[in-house]
Amino acid sequence: MIVSTNPDVVACDLEDGLAILNPHKGTYYSLNDVGRFVWLLMTTPVTPESLCGAIVENYDCDAHIATADIATRIAELQAADLIRISGHGSV
């Protein structure tokens, strides 16, 4: 599985995270600092495993927790049409 940001959405840095607008749905989302970090990694196609590794390395997080959290966030972002997923597989 490869994930990447939806090129149709607009993202803007905030002091403590990121604001994302889906202009087609007219919805606004905000991400905290860790969410911003993950979003920026997804601006180029990346695997969920790579995202988990980056979280563990940069935020001193347990790998099992990172894997579960990334799977949840990917599902949420996909449901909101903020990311694109290609290929098969799971986190």
Side-chain angles (χ1 to χ4, degrees):
M1 170 192 305
I2 302 292
V3 296
S4 60
T5 56
N6 178 344
D8 296 333
V9 302
V10 178
C12 177
D13 277 320
L14 300 173
E15 185 174 320
D16 58 349
L18 192 72
I20 304 169
L21 172 67
N22 183 331
H24 299 295
K25 290 188 173 187
T27 51
Y28 157 85
Y29 303 87
S30 63
L31 301 176
N32 65 16
D33 183 54
V34 177
R36 178 187 178 281
F37 176 77
V38 171
W39 182 266
L40 293 176
L41 290 174
M42 292 189 302
T43 58
T44 58
V46 64
T47 64
E49 295 82 10
S50 294
L51 294 173
C52 292
I55 292 292
V56 169
E57 183 177 317
N58 289 280
Y59 290 94
D60 191 32
C61 176
D62 178 79
H64 291 87
I65 292 171
T67 300
D69 286 351
I70 288 294
T72 299
R73 298 307 160 247
I74 286 173
E76 292 171 350
L77 293 169
Q78 183 182 26
D81 198 29
L82 299 176
I83 62 170
R84 298 287 185 244
I85 296 179
S86 59
H88 300 287
S90 60
V91 178

